[in-house]
Amino acid sequence: MDSSLSGNKVEMEDFWTFALWALKTWLYLIICLIMIPAMFGFSLGISETYMTILVKTLEWATLNIQKVYAEERTLTASPSNGLIEREDGSMEKELEELRRSRPKSLGSDFTLSDCVYFTRRGIESIVEDEVTQRFTSEELVSWNLLTRTNNDFQYISLKVTLVYGIGIFMRYCILAPLRITLACIGLSWLVIGTSAVGLLPNWSIKFWLSEWVHVMCYRICARGLSATIRYHNKENKPKKGGICVANHTSPIDIVILCNDGCYAMVGQIHGGLMGVIQRAMVRSCPHVWFERAEMKDRHLVTKRLKDHVNDKTKLPILIFPEGTCVNNTSVMMFKKGSFEIGSTIYPVAIKYDPNVGDAFWNSSKYSMVSYLLRMMTSWALVCNVWYLPAMHQQEEEDAVQFAKRVKSAIALRGGLVDLQWDGGLKRAKVKDLFKEEQQKQYSSMVLGDDSSSHSD
Amino acid sequence: MGSRASTLLREEEIEEIKKETGFSHSQITRLYSRFTSLDKGENGTLSREDFQRIPELAINPLGDRIINAFFPEGEDQVNFRGFMRTLAHFRPIEDNEKNKNAAVSEPLNSRTNKLLFAFRLYDLDRDDKISRDELLQVLRMMVGVNISDEQLGSIADRTIQEADTNGDNSISFNEFIKVLEKVDVEQKMSIRFLH
């Protein structure tokens, strides 16, 4: 009895020493292979090899899936993923066509067939609309061997299923623990590092150190997401005393951009974990955080941003003027606030590769933590970042027009659809104003005045 | 999450919808995924609010009338079957459907059914007649506040005068068909669904 108990004890101790040893090796490996390269910004080529293998695997899977589908039915992958082809004519043109059959009567112009135009437009928007589909994950043309795709891909072949199984093991048992460890190290490093740098006096070395700590932490976090980021046109990188505006897909955008340089953040002070990080960061370099109550005061916000921009020693401000996360297929309306400050605007376009992982944060469906876990169990994160040439407000332009111009430039560069719609529609209903505009346009056609000719 | 199986369409259902509406297998499954993404209550049916959440439909002057066409009288929920039946009106007429003999029941996307859909937009009380009052109400929806009562009244009077052949001061479905005789309804009330 006694001896077996002590034997158990020895076994337990053995187990614990082994576990400790395993943990230690694990951490040393992480530090040597990932942390140190991340600190100094070089790469050992491990992630590159992983990416090559991944791309090859996905290509192979696509080929297999297509083969099976081709046998079943003659389903050819259409270039677009749309459900319908829309009629894009203006109201004037369409209604004129409808009325062509009817002799033009004197005075007012209304025919019973006018409703046909509105009906088709309405039904088209029910089948497929420009806005709501931007707030759900993009549908893929081919399956990327992840479970979470909108299309219901079913059993294809034994080989594909096998690879899918190996993929699950890789992602959940090897990559996920590694990535979670990295993310934890990165974030705690950020808090400790920035707090420590914050204690230093305001010498120039402080700024340099602060930037180094920031970039290093973001690099570790980026590795925690297996991010492969390609930066284009680095000569246009945002400079001090300017505002960098980018399209917004998820909070990870910040990690992506900060891998290549530091920015001052603007935003509301959050509670919980985010709050701790925010408070630590502001100690080492001047970010612009607002309390919830202050955020409502537009003048105060503008003034503090202006002060920041006018101080040429401070980092460029990073703003996402869409105000909400969009699924990376389009750019939605830019809020005019950041364009009223009158500083140089540095537009940046960010485009993720949807085939290796869905970067979109659907905040109404997933919490921040569960979103991050989904990201960490995806294949990887591949994205392109384009720095666009600096833009200035032109004399005849107001802030709204300027915002539109910047948005179009970003959409064009990133290969995204340029939408006029407000991203706020994710939660709020559309304003009556837009309906009234439609009614006004139609009325002018009924009354037959010439004012309709220059409504565009 | 757990009830994923029940949210999928069964193969028999797809076949039935295919027969009834003429949509293809892949069109049905894709429209089903659209249907479920509109269904915020996640109960397998759409309510009027679900439709109104589509911004482009919400700004359509006739949006409310179009939404109404999806709901049978007195009901405020529509299931996928009903949703597809209404959408089927807007399927283009294919060549092999043109010469079908009349013995088979008329397909939902025939010219007459398309016209009936348009007619019902004006026929608010579903009595198969468009009265002057109904026409005025629909006109008001379309033009908003931009045209005076007086002007709108004369537009309504003139429209009814032109269409009304039996002198009952309202427009029947037959009279409606007459007015739209030369309009290419087949094309103008069709949506180009892909594959």
Side-chain angles (χ1 to χ4, degrees):
Chain A
M1 191 82 179
D2 255 343
S3 61
S4 77
L5 241 176
S6 63
N8 260 343
K9 217 174 170 183
V10 171
E11 265 171 38
M12 281 297 282
E13 268 170 16
D14 273 354
F15 172 75
W16 281 116
T17 40
F18 175 74
L20 207 68
W21 174 81
L23 195 71
K24 259 191 202 157
T25 333
W26 177 243
L27 282 177
Y28 285 146
L29 271 176
I30 288 180
I31 289 172
C32 294
L33 295 180
I34 300 166
M35 296 274 289
I36 294 175
M39 275 183 199
F40 301 101
F42 65 90
S43 165
L44 296 176
I46 300 172
S47 60
E48 282 79 357
T49 320
Y50 169 64
M51 283 312 300
T52 334
I53 296 172
L54 182 60
V55 169
K56 285 262 161 64
T57 315
L58 289 179
E59 271 171 13
W60 173 85
T62 310
L63 215 72
N64 264 276
I65 293 166
Q66 274 170 358
K67 232 190 277 168
V68 171
Y69 271 122
E71 279 164 23
E72 265 181 21
R73 53 188 114 106
T74 47
L75 188 145
T76 46
S78 62
S80 85
N81 216 7
L83 201 54
I84 53 171
E85 196 178 320
R86 283 180 159 232
E87 214 69 58
D88 285 325
S90 67
M91 187 190 280
E92 281 82 9
K93 194 178 140 257
E94 296 265 313
L95 283 176
E96 236 154 64
E97 263 177 47
L98 274 172
R99 289 167 176 180
R100 198 175 290 155
S101 58
R102 183 176 163 277
K104 198 171 163 88
S105 63
L106 293 166
S108 62
D109 209 357
F110 163 77
T111 72
L112 283 167
S113 62
D114 287 357
C115 74
V116 166
Y117 165 76
F118 292 111
T119 310
R120 213 203 32 227
R121 273 291 150 95
I123 298 288
E124 274 176 350
S125 64
I126 290 171
V127 173
E128 192 173 79
D129 76 298
E130 286 287 11
V131 186
T132 58
Q133 59 167 329
R134 310 296 172 189
F135 303 136
T136 52
S137 295
E138 184 183 359
E139 278 196 25
L140 299 175
V141 178
S142 183
W143 189 35
N144 61 355
L145 299 178
L146 293 174
T147 4
R148 39 190 100 116
T149 23
N150 293 356
N151 289 336
D152 299 306
F153 287 99
Q154 281 153 7
Y155 177 80
I156 293 154
S157 75
L158 187 66
K159 273 191 287 183
V160 175
T161 313
L162 212 67
V163 171
Y164 170 64
I166 297 170
I168 288 186
F169 176 76
M170 273 284 290
R171 288 186 287 120
Y172 284 87
C173 301
I174 299 174
L175 291 176
L178 178 73
R179 288 171 181 174
I180 292 167
T181 325
L182 279 174
C184 292
I185 295 174
L187 287 179
S188 42
W189 195 228
L190 188 64
V191 174
I192 299 165
T194 48
S195 302
V197 171
L199 295 175
L200 295 175
N202 274 339
W203 295 332
S204 62
I205 190 158
K206 177 180 174 178
F207 299 113
W208 183 81
L209 262 178
S210 157
E211 219 169 300
W212 188 63
V213 167
H214 270 94
V215 172
M216 177 170 67
C217 298
Y218 287 122
R219 280 197 186 128
I220 296 171
C221 290
R223 272 154 213 245
L225 296 160
S226 301
T228 307
I229 315 163
R230 289 183 211 102
Y231 299 95
H232 307 270
N233 305 96
K234 279 200 175 200
E235 68 277 9
N236 296 327
K237 245 175 84 171
K239 292 176 188 67
K240 284 184 178 168
I243 296 178
C244 167
V245 297
N247 57 313
H248 199 18
T249 311
S250 95
I252 289 176
D253 292 341
I254 297 170
V255 177
I256 301 285
L257 288 178
C258 290
N259 256 273
D260 195 37
C262 256
Y263 295 92
M265 313 283 171
V266 179
Q268 206 180 80
I269 285 272
H270 289 263
L273 178 67
M274 273 300 277
V276 175
I277 297 172
Q278 284 178 322
R279 274 170 234 275
M281 277 162 71
V282 82
R283 268 180 225 130
S284 73
C285 94
H287 296 285
V288 193
W289 300 129
F290 294 97
E291 299 291 340
R292 181 176 273 277
E294 290 176 323
M295 207 68 187
K296 298 239 164 63
D297 187 352
R298 287 182 52 88
H299 289 289
L300 181 85
V301 173
T302 318
K303 192 182 169 299
R304 278 187 60 187
L305 291 182
K306 254 190 191 144
D307 291 346
H308 185 107
V309 170
N310 288 336
D311 187 345
K312 297 292 177 213
T313 60
K314 288 184 174 171
L315 293 169
I317 298 179
L318 175 59
I319 292 179
F320 300 107
E322 282 168 300
T324 189
C325 298
V326 180
N327 75 353
N328 209 231
T329 58
S330 68
V331 190
M332 301 187 97
M333 190 188 88
F334 277 6
K335 303 230 178 339
K336 62 177 187 206
S338 26
F339 300 90
E340 279 171 335
I341 294 158
S343 83
T344 315
I345 297 281
Y346 296 95
V348 171
I350 308 174
K351 175 71 186 159
Y352 294 91
D353 179 354
N355 286 319
V356 290
D358 176 22
F360 169 58
W361 182 31
N362 192 346
S363 56
S364 45
K365 214 164 153 193
Y366 303 104
S367 71
M368 183 69 203
V369 175
S370 69
Y371 163 73
L372 284 177
L373 285 178
R374 279 165 64 93
M375 285 311 302
M376 288 178 187
T377 52
S378 291
W379 289 117
L381 193 71
V382 176
C383 89
N384 284 296
V385 175
W386 287 275
Y387 295 111
L388 278 73
M391 290 173 89
H392 299 267
Q393 187 167 0
Q394 279 162 8
E395 263 170 40
E396 70 277 16
E397 229 175 16
D398 62 14
V400 176
Q401 289 165 325
F402 183 37
K404 244 185 209 170
R405 193 157 61 89
V406 174
K407 179 183 63 144
S408 304
I410 290 180
L412 187 70
R413 184 64 267 198
L416 307 162
V417 182
D418 186 2
L419 292 180
Q420 311 284 345
W421 293 93
D422 183 355
L425 289 170
K426 193 193 249 182
R427 290 186 181 82
K429 274 204 170 160
V430 63
K431 285 191 199 118
D432 286 338
L433 187 82
F434 294 102
K435 188 177 190 163
E436 284 157 21
E437 254 167 41
Q438 294 269 314
Q439 290 170 330
K440 204 168 168 191
Q441 196 185 347
Y442 178 67
S443 303
S444 67
M445 290 209 60
V446 170
L447 293 177
D449 18 303
D450 288 326
S451 63
S452 62
S453 56
H454 52 77
S455 63
D456 199 28
Chain B
M1 277 293 278
S3 60
R4 189 168 160 74
S6 68
T7 64
L8 288 174
L9 262 186
R10 278 182 296 119
E11 209 54 44
E12 307 92 83
E13 274 178 275
I14 295 179
E15 279 309 313
E16 276 169 36
I17 293 170
K18 212 164 146 181
K19 243 181 244 156
E20 191 178 17
T21 63
F23 281 115
S24 76
H25 192 286
S26 82
Q27 282 168 347
I28 294 170
T29 50
R30 302 185 68 187
L31 282 167
Y32 187 68
S33 97
R34 172 68 173 168
F35 180 85
T36 45
S37 74
L38 291 176
D39 177 19
K40 291 285 184 248
E42 294 186 351
N43 53 7
T45 59
L46 298 184
S47 63
R48 285 187 165 77
E49 286 73 50
D50 284 328
F51 282 101
Q52 275 149 3
R53 228 172 267 123
I54 306 170
E56 281 165 59
L57 189 60
I59 69 160
N60 191 315
L62 288 181
D64 285 335
R65 294 301 302 150
I66 296 164
I67 294 170
N68 214 50
F70 281 84
F71 296 89
E73 186 124 47
E75 281 181 43
D76 50 10
Q77 296 287 323
V78 57
N79 61 14
F80 184 57
R81 266 312 254 290
F83 179 74
M84 291 300 281
R85 216 176 292 131
T86 308
L87 286 186
H89 289 83
F90 296 89
R91 226 164 44 77
I93 303 173
E94 284 155 26
D95 288 334
N96 57 2
E97 284 172 318
K98 272 181 189 154
N99 321 318
K100 260 187 188 163
N101 52 352
V104 192
S105 68
E106 204 173 301
L108 289 167
N109 62 344
S110 69
R111 179 182 170 93
T112 316
N113 275 329
K114 283 182 197 288
L115 281 169
L116 192 59
F117 189 98
F119 179 76
R120 295 233 164 104
L121 292 177
Y122 294 104
D123 182 18
L124 300 172
D125 61 3
R126 304 192 189 207
D127 68 345
D128 296 325
K129 258 189 258 163
I130 305 170
S131 66
R132 179 180 188 269
D133 194 43
E134 285 170 325
L135 185 58
L136 263 180
Q137 282 187 49
V138 176
L139 273 169
R140 187 50 81 198
M141 289 178 205
M142 287 159 88
V143 301
V145 293
N146 301 294
I147 294 179
S148 70
D149 282 341
E150 206 177 293
Q151 268 177 306
L152 217 55
S154 75
I155 291 174
D157 285 335
R158 187 182 49 76
T159 308
I160 290 184
Q161 230 174 53
E162 277 175 17
D164 186 20
T165 49
N166 63 0
D168 66 348
N169 233 345
S170 60
I171 305 170
S172 69
F173 184 48
N174 279 330
E175 287 162 349
F176 187 78
I177 293 178
K178 254 286 163 26
V179 176
L180 272 74
E181 202 173 23
K182 293 211 182 84
V183 179
D184 187 4
V185 175
E186 286 90 341
Q187 198 236 320
K188 293 287 166 199
M189 284 192 69
S190 291
I191 291 172
R192 278 179 277 170
F193 288 93
L194 300 172
H195 48 268

